[in-house]
Amino acid sequence: MASASTLNRDRPVAVVTEIERGSTVDGPGVRTVVFLKGCPLRCLWCHNPETIRPYPQLMHDESLCLHCRRCAEVCPEEEISFRQGEFRCEHEKCTRCFLCVESCPAGALTRVGEELSVEGLLEMVRRELPFIKRGGITFSGGEPLLQPEWTAEAARACRELGLHTTLDTSLYCDWGSLDIGLAHYSLVMADLKHPDSLRHQELTGVPNELILDNLYRLDHTGTPIWLRTPLIPGLNDDPETVEEMLGIASGLKHLERYEFLPYNPLTPEKYAKLGVDYPLAGHAFDYSNREELRSLISQSDLPVRLIR
Amino acid sequence: MHKERPLTEPRMKRLIDRRDELALSGQRNLYMDSVEHGIYQWSKGSASFAPETGKLAAAATERVCLGDHNCRVGIGMPFPYCDEMPSVREGYEHAPLNWAADYAFFLSKLEPEIHPGERIVGEFHWQLDEARAQQYPELLDEYGERAKGLGAGGSCQSHTCPDLAQGLRRGWRGILEKVLQSQETWSADPERLEYLQAAEVSCRAIMAYIRKYAEKARELGDPDLAEVCEQVATEPPATLREALQWIQFYQLAERVIAHGNGYGRLDMLLLPYYEADLAAGRITRREAIELVAELYLKYGGNYFSLGGRDQTGADATSEMSWICLEAYDLIGGYSCLGVMWHPDIDADFYQYACEVVARHKCATPALLNYDKMYESEVVSGVKPEDAWNISYSGCQWYCVVGKEYCDQDKNVIVLIQVLLRALREAVENPPPDFEVFYELYMKNVEEAAQALLELKNIQYHHQYKVWPEIATSLISEQCLETGRDITDWRHEGAYYNFTSVNLLGFTNVVDSLLAIKEQVYGSAKRSLAKLEAAVRTDFAQAEDLRRELLAVPKFGSDHPEANALAKRLAADIAHVLREKVNCKGFPMRPSLFQFMGHALAGPYLGATPDGRHAAEPLAQGCNPQHGRGPFAITEVGASLLALDQKQHIGAPWQCELDDSFFRTCDDPGALLEALSTSYFESGGLHVNFNITTVEELEDAVVHPEKHQSLVVKVTGYSAHFVKLSSHYQQEIIRRNRIGT
Ligand code: SF4
Ligand code: SF4
């Protein structure tokens, strides 16, 4: 699998969407979460479309925009225009010089995606250490294993500081990408999105054989595993599908926890900021089987959690 | 470990229900005179909170409800004997004996009240300020108005801690004997003698008041209760029940004069009685829990603390700490307990404290860092040999038990008003750079502080005659020996007499100064005059400017520049205040908090250069401004840690957590424990965790009947949300919630 990492032997850097501080929902305790940019999957429900592309991108927030047009003045490509007073940018032609971001007085334009070295990460982590030494750090994405060397090296360095490290991965990667960092991950969190490979491909753009192979192989190594399934109405939340996923989970020896996560439709703004469309716009979200699912899931012998 | 929540038996259940009824019917409500009083903590003619009835009561349309934060149980009618008060019949004087005659008469007219099933008794329906004017001579108004004009104000009230250990040890007879002895010592000094006579009158009145409860209990056929009351009316308590009853009567005797204090370190106070009862086979653990719970139920929101260190520096946590906390866990709801963490605290106990916070969701107990409190007292000038006995004493305050009269609670510098003044001056005479502007601001702070000092000094010269705190003085160090009230400006009563000053709008000023630095003195080069005009007109024609002001980094985001400015400003204000020494010989000292004005001052004082509209509340203390962010919990925590917290007497982190913060978490208590421990280890002083959701709060505004049991930490105190005035309800709803 091709790696989108801009890794360089002397000064390895990753492209990072965001570093979230103080998260309590990405592994045990209070954590710093590094969202690496770039993802091989295209889940229809993706909550973080800004993490899909492996390179820095321009985001525009209409609600903050003053329509002062300073951005249009500085854009060397003349890609920014205003139609009926609304900001428009031809994202396909944008060269990502980010001059417009600097010119924006209202914080309406932002660059999403920064290069980050391991040393740069450690600087932040050291400052945050008092708060996360009882929790830890989570490498998430996107897909952190698209930048496997960086992630492995960052995890190793964080472990050296005494931190608990969690890798949050789709497991859609070659085994080697996972294996090179395995000694440095205290916990691996992986998603089960659909048990059926064809359906998986329809929903996420990729089949699931590789994912499941990696999951079982990971389990063999003895690494503690948390599974997560976002329950998307009408796509993977019928009782049969959920039961099949529970079946897969029950085959794991080192499963510590299996979280079923709720899914709420996104407002169009999040996609609009990037100038792309939300694939589930217009999808009928029917939550009527939630009680049934609750009883089904709670009957399981596995360490399941149905998150509200 | 005592993890499970004990079941509530019917007797306790009835007592809990009654507590809730009193709160929800409004009988525990506390009011202040006016919005203005909430901001300046002073208003013409008002020396305290609003008397609820009587000649000095504020109009119902003016007064602002602070929620069920009162010990008084209102019954909807004024004190029936106002016209028979000695000061009415024989003449009113600003003099201790004149005051004590009223106090004694007032207590004599309070009927004992015992409710079915109670084992700890005592409540009252009026405060002395409803029958006797708590008013300073008019000449003070001039000083008050002057201070207000400069952005400061204050009235004398203290969240101090009388030394209950001393009272419990002596009993009322012992206290009286001490008063009489001291009268002999000072027989040649008329002024001290008069004070000690006032003390004697007060002491005897309290004893008579307690005896009435003994008689009433006998009438009602409760010989056990009668015996307890009889005993504590004169003798030192011998059992846990007697000790608790002693404390309750003492609190009433004190609270009836119209304001609340902290009452010290409850676990340390009660431990000997519990141990003696256990050794004698007189009590079970469960009975002890229920008795302590009854004390909480009777008073409302007592400020007691648990944990901390003892005199040797060792962990003071004991079996009694557990019992006191389990007692709260049993009854839940409205309370103002504090647990004082330190690195050597019994880890199981602290874990339990955090579980209790997570379970009851209303920042009870408040979590405090004992070592930081200690350090901050030493910074103020308290001797280390005294400082060990500090106790959380209300809101953000703490003090040395029995030795400190710190005039805490109600003094303020309204920092945003000072800023707006500086801004107007700057328009007249534009400073060339930010540093000069900053100096101009600090000059205005200094003027406000000076005006406050002058107001305080003149108040101090009258306070001990206008409204002596005799009940407090009876069991505080030195007062009886010297024949001086604890409030006396000659400071022979308390060892330490600081003037503690709330800073209102701290975060708004940090954010505003940074906005001015960037927008006026940075590359944008905006004119000060335009900025001032925009602020003055509430950004009516300047929404674009407001957005740009909002885009400047804000305190709470852990932005290095905002942090550095906050740290500098806090240190500079602390320096200004500490240079100002009151007439008692003690410096003023700052507190990064003000418990009522932030919800009121916005519309009153107008918009600010941080982009805040006039109608929006101010930030609460040193917490981020409402509606900024969203900030991560560690960003806010790290921002507050940028301040040198020991320089302040109180700097609470009011941490509002949305339920969703815990959505994937199996053990919310453990998460709070990890967070607060991290915060304390890094220098944090105090954290209150409220756990709510906006939906719940908003629904409670519309359908109060559905949210009767919703209790929140308002600022420094807890109350039923549905009993708060809409100012406070809206302010709480708008707070930055973490986890949404
Ligand atoms: S510079 Fe910023 S505020 Fe001005 S039009 Fe462009 S995006 Fe909007
Ligand atoms: S990033 Fe550069 S090319 Fe792209 S829109 Fe902004 S100014 Fe134009």
Side-chain angles (χ1 to χ4, degrees):
Chain A
M1 180 139 314
S3 160
S5 166
T6 46
L7 198 81
N8 143 339
R9 282 207 180 284
D10 306 325
R11 191 176 151 274
V13 288
V15 179
V16 166
T17 318
E18 192 198 349
I19 296 188
E20 186 186 334
R21 297 169 57 179
S23 168
T24 54
V25 295
D26 297 284
V30 180
R31 311 184 76 81
T32 296
V33 188
V34 185
F35 292 94
L36 287 108
K37 207 157 159 20
C39 185
L41 274 62
R42 295 290 179 272
C43 303
L44 298 177
W45 54 82
C46 181
H47 251 285
N48 301 309
E50 71 278 14
T51 66
I52 292 177
R53 305 277 165 209
Y55 44 77
Q57 279 169 286
L58 183 67
M59 286 225 300
H60 176 257
D61 187 338
E62 188 61 32
S63 73
L64 294 175
C65 180
L66 303 172
H67 307 107
C68 68
R69 303 184 183 220
R70 283 185 217 174
C71 50
E73 281 162 28
V74 299
C75 177
E77 307 300 318
E78 298 180 9
E79 290 312 336
I80 297 176
S81 63
F82 289 83
R83 250 170 259 164
Q84 284 151 4
E86 270 208 16
F87 174 96
R88 288 288 184 99
C89 169
E90 282 304 322
H91 284 273
E92 296 309 313
K93 295 185 196 150
C94 166
T95 59
R96 301 189 284 279
C97 69
F98 301 113
L99 288 173
C100 55
V101 173
E102 279 164 41
S103 78
C104 176
L109 282 172
T110 43
R111 166 189 166 140
V112 47
E114 295 291 337
E115 292 191 340
L116 182 72
S117 66
V118 171
E119 199 32 61
L121 174 69
L122 290 184
E123 231 169 78
M124 290 182 216
V125 165
R126 279 192 206 100
R127 288 190 52 210
E128 193 75 340
L129 205 51
F131 283 109
I132 59 174
K133 68 181 181 201
R134 295 175 173 81
I137 187 161
T138 298
F139 299 93
S140 181
E143 172 50 66
L145 296 185
L146 281 187
Q147 306 180 65
E149 295 90 350
W150 189 91
T151 302
E153 171 56 17
R156 189 197 60 73
C158 287
R159 278 272 281 266
E160 231 170 62
L161 293 175
L163 284 179
H164 177 280
T165 55
T166 296
L167 175 72
D168 177 11
T169 171
S170 67
L171 290 179
Y172 188 71
C173 60
D174 59 282
W175 176 252
S177 299
L178 182 56
D179 194 41
I180 56 162
L182 214 43
H184 314 306
Y185 305 131
S186 318
L187 170 71
V188 173
M189 297 203 294
D191 277 6
L192 277 186
K193 298 181 204 262
H194 203 285
D196 177 74
S197 191
L198 278 176
R199 189 73 182 127
H200 196 277
Q201 177 134 26
E202 284 165 15
L203 298 176
T204 70
V206 303
N208 74 5
E209 286 87 0
L210 178 61
I211 294 173
L212 293 179
D213 278 358
N214 281 337
L215 180 62
Y216 292 125
R217 205 160 162 187
L218 176 67
D219 190 44
H220 270 297
T221 67
T223 309
I225 298 172
W226 287 16
L227 286 177
R228 298 205 286 190
T229 294
L231 290 169
I232 319 293
L235 301 186
N236 68 352
D237 73 335
D238 56 293
E240 300 72 45
T241 304
V242 169
E243 255 180 296
E244 275 182 64
M245 290 191 285
L246 285 167
I248 293 172
S250 69
L252 300 173
K253 288 199 192 63
H254 300 98
L255 179 73
E256 286 191 345
R257 188 175 160 108
Y258 186 179
E259 291 179 351
F260 288 89
L261 305 170
Y263 182 81
N264 293 314
L266 295 175
T267 51
E269 279 86 52
K270 188 138 195 188
Y271 278 79
K273 282 180 190 174
L274 289 163
V276 292
D277 292 329
Y278 177 35
L280 290 187
H283 179 76
F285 288 94
D286 175 3
Y287 294 93
S288 57
N289 74 350
R290 282 301 174 269
E291 265 321 303
E292 192 186 344
L293 283 187
R294 187 173 302 278
S295 77
L296 173 72
I297 290 170
S298 63
Q299 278 163 25
S300 162
D301 297 334
L302 299 172
V304 286
R305 306 285 189 286
L306 188 59
I307 309 297
R308 275 182 300 124
Chain B
M1 292 301 295
H2 308 268
K3 273 196 163 178
E4 77 291 359
R5 186 176 177 185
L7 285 169
T8 305
E9 48 115 339
R11 187 184 70 88
M12 286 304 289
K13 175 87 174 61
R14 273 204 308 279
L15 299 177
I16 293 169
D17 288 347
R18 178 156 188 275
R19 171 206 50 189
D20 295 341
E21 274 163 38
L22 291 180
L24 291 165
S25 61
Q27 288 172 273
R28 292 269 199 199
N29 278 358
L30 178 65
Y31 297 91
M32 64 188 146
D33 273 42
S34 59
V35 162
E36 192 179 280
H37 190 95
I39 301 166
Y40 297 100
Q41 307 198 307
W42 174 87
S43 46
K44 223 179 206 165
S46 157
S48 177
F49 291 99
E52 207 178 316
T53 67
K55 290 199 182 93
L56 290 173
T61 48
E62 286 283 299
R63 65 184 190 177
V64 178
C65 184
L66 292 161
D68 50 319
H69 186 38
N70 213 336
C71 178
R72 174 188 188 276
V73 174
I75 51 171
M77 57 180 273
F79 181 62
Y81 307 99
C82 284
D83 296 338
E84 292 171 45
M85 293 288 282
S87 62
V88 174
R89 283 187 285 122
E90 286 146 36
Y92 180 99
E93 279 172 60
H94 280 151
L97 203 49
N98 188 279
W99 185 93
D102 272 358
Y103 176 69
F105 174 82
F106 186 81
L107 278 188
S108 77
K109 292 296 179 194
L110 297 183
E111 291 302 321
E113 249 188 66
I114 298 171
H115 295 274
E118 285 185 339
R119 289 197 297 173
I120 302 293
V121 296
E123 68 189 46
F124 62 88
H125 304 312
W126 300 281
Q127 292 179 168
L128 186 59
D129 62 348
E130 297 170 77
R132 177 185 171 91
Q134 181 176 5
Q135 260 181 323
Y136 284 82
E138 268 170 27
L139 99 117
L140 267 73
D141 288 348
E142 203 181 294
Y143 287 82
E145 290 296 337
R146 199 179 112 70
K148 199 167 85 185
L150 293 169
S155 41
C156 299
Q157 250 168 50
S158 187
H159 272 303
T160 203
C161 285
D163 186 5
L164 289 183
Q166 201 181 109
L168 290 164
R169 199 167 59 241
R170 293 209 173 98
W172 287 107
R173 193 215 304 274
I175 295 168
L176 181 62
E177 275 166 13
K178 211 175 152 197
V179 173
L180 298 175
Q181 271 167 22
S182 192
Q183 285 178 357
E184 276 173 36
T185 314
W186 294 108
S187 58
D189 184 324
E191 195 190 341
R192 295 186 204 247
L193 192 60
E194 191 208 316
Y195 180 76
L196 289 163
Q197 283 161 350
E200 179 190 343
V201 167
S202 303
C203 196
R204 290 189 194 277
I206 294 167
M207 293 165 82
Y209 174 67
I210 300 173
R211 250 183 249 113
K212 284 196 287 187
Y213 272 90
E215 282 158 30
K216 177 85 177 191
R218 217 166 279 122
E219 266 171 43
L220 291 173
D222 188 342
D224 288 353
L225 178 60
E227 205 183 303
V228 168
C229 295
E230 197 62 60
Q231 174 81 11
V232 302
T234 50
E235 303 311 313
T239 65
L240 180 67
R241 181 173 174 189
E242 287 172 7
L244 289 162
Q245 187 59 65
W246 197 96
I247 292 173
Q248 173 62 7
F249 282 136
Y250 178 78
Q251 290 182 148
L252 297 186
E254 212 200 35
R255 187 71 200 244
V256 83
I257 80 161
H259 79 81
N261 271 327
Y263 292 99
R265 303 177 63 173
L266 191 61
D267 46 0
M268 282 169 52
L269 288 170
L270 296 179
L271 183 64
Y273 300 97
Y274 176 63
E275 283 178 338
D277 282 1
L278 266 190
R282 283 193 293 257
I283 204 167
T284 63
R285 193 170 186 284
R286 171 71 196 191
E287 281 166 342
I289 292 173
E290 288 189 6
L291 279 171
V292 175
E294 277 202 60
L295 178 72
Y296 300 160
L297 291 171
K298 282 310 286 179
Y299 186 89
N302 344 49
Y303 289 107
F304 285 117
S305 62
L306 307 173
R309 296 181 189 271
D310 67 14
Q311 194 158 9
T312 68
D315 180 24
T317 307
S318 66
E319 176 66 0
M320 203 63 214
S321 316
W322 285 93
I323 289 174
C324 292
L325 196 52
E326 285 173 72
Y328 171 73
D329 202 3
L330 178 70
I331 60 171
Y334 161 48
S335 172
C336 298
L337 287 175
V339 164
M340 302 187 291
W341 173 93
H342 55 84
D344 309 317
I345 196 168
D346 175 343
D348 288 344
F349 177 69
Y350 190 67
Q351 187 189 341
Y352 175 57
C354 292
E355 273 172 36
V356 172
V357 177
R359 181 150 47 238
H360 297 283
K361 299 186 166 190
C362 55
T364 306
L367 304 174
L368 295 115
N369 179 351
Y370 173 94
D371 290 350
K372 213 25 110 177
M373 293 158 70
Y374 175 98
E375 264 185 76
S376 110
E377 283 282 79
V378 171
V379 166
S380 288
V382 172
K383 292 191 193 118
E385 61 264 37
D386 292 331
W388 75 269
N389 200 15
I390 35 172
S391 175
Y392 174 56
S393 67
C395 288
Q396 80 281 33
W397 306 111
Y398 37 88
C399 65
V400 177
V401 173
K403 292 188 174 173
E404 196 177 320
Y405 187 82
C406 23
D407 190 11
Q408 307 198 122
D409 207 17
K410 285 175 76 184
N411 299 307
V412 63
I413 295 184
V414 185
L415 294 179
I416 66 160
Q417 183 182 343
V418 176
L419 180 75
L420 296 175
R421 264 166 52 83
L423 192 57
R424 283 192 297 273
E425 282 180 29
V427 170
E428 298 287 300
N429 194 0
D433 58 32
F434 177 73
E435 283 307 307
V436 179
F437 183 89
Y438 184 86
E439 273 166 34
L440 177 67
Y441 178 65
M442 287 311 300
K443 182 204 76 152
N444 277 277
V445 170
E446 201 278 335
E447 283 168 9
Q450 182 61 30
L452 179 60
L453 181 71
E454 286 163 19
L455 173 65
K456 291 318 300 183
N457 281 344
I458 188 142
Q459 283 174 347
Y460 292 153
H461 278 99
H462 290 87
Q463 182 185 7
Y464 73 110
K465 292 184 287 190
V466 171
W467 210 257
E469 299 199 1
I470 296 179
T472 314
S473 305
L474 288 173
I475 59 166
S476 292
E477 205 82 11
Q478 297 202 105
C479 295
L480 296 185
E481 285 84 345
T482 59
R484 297 282 197 223
D485 193 69
I486 193 165
T487 65
D488 196 304
W489 67 275
R490 289 156 294 194
H491 72 89
E492 291 173 52
Y495 290 2
Y496 302 106
N497 292 271
F498 306 102
T499 300
S500 304
V501 181
N502 295 293
L503 301 178
L504 177 58
F506 175 77
T507 301
N508 300 95
V509 170
V510 172
D511 290 351
S512 294
L513 286 173
L514 198 54
I516 290 170
K517 187 175 180 187
E518 291 214 348
Q519 289 291 324
V520 176
Y521 296 104
S523 54
K525 297 219 184 335
R526 274 176 201 293
S527 96
L528 262 177
K530 276 207 185 118
L531 177 65
E532 194 275 333
V535 168
R536 187 161 24 81
T537 54
D538 198 12
F539 302 104
Q541 308 291 324
E543 180 57 16
D544 287 2
L545 170 60
R546 196 179 82 87
R547 296 255 191 110
E548 291 181 26
L549 295 169
L550 287 176
V552 175
K554 296 287 177 266
F555 186 67
S557 62
D558 195 24
H559 189 278
E561 252 197 282
N563 287 358
L565 188 57
K567 181 178 178 171
R568 176 182 181 192
L569 182 69
D572 288 347
I573 295 174
H575 182 75
V576 166
L577 287 173
R578 288 183 195 280
E579 294 280 294
K580 304 245 173 259
V581 175
N582 65 27
C583 62
K584 303 177 182 184
F586 287 81
M588 304 216 276
R589 56 180 181 178
S591 179
L592 287 169
F593 183 83
Q594 199 262 35
F595 84 97
M596 48 211 217
H598 66 291
L600 309 169
Y604 191 92
L605 292 169
T608 33
D610 54 349
R612 185 191 58 83
H613 272 305
E616 294 177 61
L618 304 188
Q620 201 229 58
C622 51
N623 294 283
Q625 169 63 12
H626 305 69
R628 306 295 175 259
F631 303 131
I633 190 162
T634 62
E635 286 172 340
V636 180
S639 300
L640 267 80
L641 287 170
L643 305 166
D644 184 2
Q645 298 196 7
K646 68 175 178 300
Q647 296 295 338
H648 309 278
I649 178 85
W653 178 9
Q654 180 61 44
C655 186
E656 299 290 331
L657 300 174
D658 187 90
D659 272 348
S660 62
F661 183 76
F662 302 104
R663 68 186 181 274
T664 66
C665 165
D666 292 341
D667 186 351
L671 201 53
L672 297 183
E673 185 192 1
L675 274 165
S676 56
T677 307
S678 299
Y679 184 63
F680 292 152
E681 283 173 351
S682 308
L685 187 54
H686 178 172
V687 55
N688 293 325
F689 290 115
N690 256 347
I691 305 164
T692 53
T693 65
V694 173
E695 297 73 43
E696 182 185 24
L697 297 171
E698 282 177 342
D699 196 55
V701 173
V702 188
H703 303 292
E705 69 288 351
K706 288 197 216 148
H707 301 272
Q708 296 281 298
S709 61
L710 175 61
V711 171
V712 294
K713 191 73 147 186
V714 184
T715 50
Y717 64 100
S718 321
H720 284 83
F721 184 77
V722 297
K723 300 315 289 179
L724 297 169
S725 80
S726 69
H727 304 97
Y728 292 97
Q729 289 187 339
Q730 293 306 325
E731 184 267 324
I732 291 169
I733 288 172
R734 295 173 89 140
R735 284 181 192 169
N736 294 296
R737 251 169 212 79
I738 295 168
T740 31

